[in-house]
Each structure stands twice: as C-alpha cells, then as structure tokens.
C-alpha cells in the first residue's frame, strides 16, 4: 500500500492487550489504567483475520506490543500463527522484559524474529520507582536469556528523563560494550493522561548524543537487522551499537511505514495524530458474505493509509499502553 506521500506501508504494530504488570510513570497514571473489558479486546482469531488481510495488501512486518504483550494469555500461540503466515518476513515484540526468562525460548521456537526490551535504568531502586514496583533483576536476567537463546538484533529502548535517569547514559553505553545489543535512547513523549510533553523532564536527542560523544567517537552503521527510525552508530571497542530516536524534536514521519492495530480493534494511521477506523465493528457485524468482509477490511486499510499525516502533531499525546508505543 502506497500512501499519498508515496510511503510504502508494509509494517503493522499490534497492541495485543492494554494490561500491564508495571505502571511506568510516563505511560500510566498512578492509579493504573482504565482497563477495557475482556469482550472489548480483539480475540486472537480477530487479530489473525486483520493480519492475514493486511498481509494480502502488502504488510510483511509485524510487531506485537501492548500494554505488556507477555501478559496476554496464549501470546506464544498467536506469535506462532502469525509467524507461519506466508508473506510475514519479520515478527518482533516490544516488551518490558519482566517475563522474558519464561517466554524467550518458546517464542524463539515459535518463530519470533526479535525483541525490543524497554529498560530505563540500571539501578534497582530507580527501576522500582520508574515502573512503580518492577524488578530490575527479572529484566536483566530476561535479556541474558534472549541473548543465550540466540536472538539477533535485540534492542534496548531507554526513555531519557531529565532528573531521573539522564545521569546513566555512561552506564548504558558500558552495558553494550560486552553485549551484542542495539541501545536506543528515546525522547520522552506526551502521554494520553498528561496531554503535554513534560518540558522540564524532556531531553532532546541532540543533547544525549553530545553526552555519548564524550565517551567515544561514533561511526554511523548502514545495514541493521530490523531497521527502524533510529540513526545507529558504533562506538569504538563495543560489541553493541547505539542510536537516538528523536520522535519529538525531529520527527521521522517521512520514513514512516506503519499502521497500528489497537487492542480494542481500531486500525490507526499514526501513534500521535491522523485518524482511525473501527475494524472490530466490521469483524463483529453480521456480514455473512466473506466477500463483503474482505471488501470492508480492504477499505479500512486503504482509508487508514490515506489518513496518515505528512507529519505528526509533535507534542500531542497518545495513550501508549492502549495503542502500543
Ligand atoms: N510494555 C511494553 C514495553 O514497555 O516495552 C510495550 C508497550 S510500551 C507502551 C512501548 C514503548 O513505549 C516502551 O518502550 C515505552 O518506553 C514507550 N513509551 C511509553 N510511554 C512513553 C512516553 N511517554 N514517551 C516515550 N516513550 C514511551
Ligand atoms: Fe507497561 Fe510498557 Fe507502559 Fe511501562 S511502558 S507501563 S511496561 S505498557
């Protein structure tokens, strides 16, 4: 599918649940989320119908996210069924890493290509504070399990927050010296319940890069597993690589190739702006004829592709745990 700005839309991010075992301060309100009822969430069969249809229209890359995808019961089966579809070349998962020790090997056997693990601090007390009760040990052990299981192209996402973890940039760079991991420093975005970028906490990617450059010279990398919006660099002596995602200060919308499927069945054109189409309504309507269903799903994909904004509205908010960051 080619959109009106000649971007080839071949990537679908699927939020499989709005539930999460953590409540990161920048993602969820302190009291937790307004959770959806079970019947409001797409079933695996419904997700598969949308994915199969998308694949027929040129989607070949899938990412499972959430909420926390590993808290959705049966996620390993959904992963296998998507990985087995003809036309899917790549299926990755974004996770907070808490349950990786349990799931990494099964997911490898079931065809998962890669993990992105979110990890904002290497200090246990801060981890507990940022995630409101999570265990850093579980995540670090989970990452080792992923590497031992033989996954390639593992990424770690660090949201940099002024006054919280911006003094750990050196520690993170040290962490990838001995691990074949791609580390990505991410700018803090506005979240749905706060509505605005927290300017006091926001650290621009350019400033993070300047700090990293004090540690060592950065050489840009061309070919990478899984691609993505970050500009990636090698730093002398390190097994891993690192990059910067400047979604707020320098949006990379011109390279955006994604559509998103939310856990409650909305096909969305963009994380932050644009529009959406309710595919759950289509899937659950009394369309008896398969041809009608196919036609309506095609229309939904075409509509959403055409709704993709040229550039997102930068400092808008998104309900990350529902849409999937
Ligand atoms: N629970 C999984 C996780 O944490 O990786 C997947 C869902 S989470 C919403 C996906 C990503 O969104 C995480 O890497 C998280 O750090 C990022 N995220 C959430 N809120 C954010 C915000 N306000 N600014 C920047 N990134 C955010
Ligand atoms: Fe959960 Fe991920 Fe949001 Fe943290 S960022 S609260 S782990 S969904």
């Amino acid at each position: 599918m080619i959109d009106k700005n000649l971007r080839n839309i071949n990537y679908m991010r699927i939020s499989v649940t709005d539930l999460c075992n953590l409540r990161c301060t920048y993602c969820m309100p302190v009291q937790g989320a307004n959770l959806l009822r079970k019947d409001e969430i797409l079933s695996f069969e419904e997700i598969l119908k949308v994915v199969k249809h998308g694949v027929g229209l040129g989607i070949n890359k899938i990412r499972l996210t959430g909420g926390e995808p590993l808290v959705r019961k049966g996620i390993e089966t959904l992963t296998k069924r998507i990985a087995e579809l003809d036309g899917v070349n790549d299926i990755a998962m974004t996770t907070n890493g808490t349950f990786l020790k349990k799931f990494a090997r099964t997911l490898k056997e079931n065809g998962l290509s890669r993990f992105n693990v979110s990890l904002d601090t290497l200090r246990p007390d801060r981890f507990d504070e940022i995630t409101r009760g999570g265990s850093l040990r579980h995540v670090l052990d989970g990452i080792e399990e992923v590497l031992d299981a033989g996954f390639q192209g593992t990424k770690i996402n660090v949201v940099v927050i002024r006054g919280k973890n911006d003094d750990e940039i050196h520690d993170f760079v040290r962490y990838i010296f001995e691990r074949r991991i791609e580390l990505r420093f991410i700018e803090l975005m506005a979240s749905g319940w706060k509505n605005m970028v927290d300017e006091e906490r926001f650290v621009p990617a350019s400033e993070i890069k300047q700090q990293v450059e004090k540690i060592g010279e950065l050489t840009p990398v061309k070919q990478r597993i899984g691609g993505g919006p970050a500009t990636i660099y090698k730093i002398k002596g390190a097994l891993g690589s690192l990059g910067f995602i400047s979604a707020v200060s320098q949006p990379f919308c011109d390279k955006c190739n994604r559509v998103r499927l939310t856990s409650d069945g909305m096909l969305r054109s963009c994380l932050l702006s644009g529009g959406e189409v309710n595919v759950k309504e289509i899937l659950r309507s009394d369309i008896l004829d398969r041809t009608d269903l196919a036609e309506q799903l095609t229309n939904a994909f075409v509509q959403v592709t055409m709704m993709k904004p040229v550039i997102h509205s930068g400092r808008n908010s998104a309900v990350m745990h529902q849409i999937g960051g």
Side-chain angles (χ1 to χ4, degrees), residues 280-323:
K280 184 171 67 185
E281 228 167 63
I282 299 175
L283 293 164
R284 295 187 185 175
S285 67
D286 295 327
I287 306 170
L288 294 174
D289 185 341
R290 292 170 73 101
T291 326
D292 280 352
L293 178 64
E295 198 178 303
Q296 293 211 24
L297 285 176
T298 300
N299 286 345
F301 271 99
V302 170
Q303 258 178 288
V304 164
T305 300
M306 290 308 152
M307 279 174 189
K308 277 185 75 63
V310 180
I311 187 162
H312 70 64
S313 43
R315 285 163 144 75
N316 259 9
S317 62
V319 187
M320 297 286 187
H321 66 92
Q322 266 176 19
I323 305 171

Side-chain angles (χ1 to χ4, degrees), residues 148-254:
D148 287 351
F151 278 99
Q152 305 285 310
T154 305
K155 295 176 182 147
I156 290 187
N157 291 346
V158 183
V159 177
V160 182
I161 312 163
R162 198 177 304 285
K164 278 264 186 247
N165 62 355
D166 55 336
D167 56 348
E168 286 189 60
I169 289 171
H170 274 67
D171 298 343
F172 273 109
V173 174
R174 210 172 300 129
Y175 183 77
I176 57 138
F177 259 74
E178 297 189 346
R179 292 175 180 84
R180 226 172 269 283
I181 283 178
E182 184 179 303
L183 178 68
R184 289 129 39 104
F185 292 111
I186 297 180
E187 286 179 348
L188 180 65
M189 291 192 271
S191 50
W193 52 282
K194 269 191 183 159
N195 240 333
M196 276 169 59
V197 169
D198 188 344
E199 301 288 351
E200 279 181 15
R201 299 274 185 208
F202 179 77
V203 186
S206 54
E207 185 182 320
I208 307 166
K209 189 165 175 234
Q210 276 171 11
Q211 282 204 45
V212 176
E213 279 167 335
K214 287 185 194 148
I215 306 170
E217 196 186 332
L218 298 179
T219 319
V221 176
K222 284 201 189 96
Q223 285 294 328
R224 312 153 39 215
I225 299 169
T231 313
I232 298 298
Y233 301 86
K234 285 299 279 187
I235 189 162
K236 205 171 169 201
L239 272 183
S241 52
L242 57 90
F244 311 91
I245 300 191
S246 54
V248 179
S249 67
Q250 278 184 308
F252 32 83
C253 304
D254 58 325

Side-chain angles (χ1 to χ4, degrees), residues 20 26-27 65-69 94-96 116-118 120 157 159 186-191 320-321 324-325:
C20 185
Y26 51 72
C27 178
T65 177
E68 173 48 40
T94 302
T95 170
N96 64 35
N116 283 18
V117 185
S118 305
D120 301 329
N157 291 346
V159 177
I186 297 180
E187 286 179 348
L188 180 65
M189 291 192 271
S191 50
M320 297 286 187
H321 66 92

Side-chain angles (χ1 to χ4, degrees), residues 70 93 95-105 107 115 117 138-139 141-143 145-146:
L70 293 178
M93 181 181 285
T95 170
N96 64 35
T98 313
F99 303 112
L100 276 174
K101 189 135 176 97
K102 176 173 172 201
F103 283 104
R105 281 173 202 269
L107 287 168
F115 282 107
V117 185
H138 290 162
V139 181
D141 288 350
I143 293 170
E145 187 77 3
V146 165

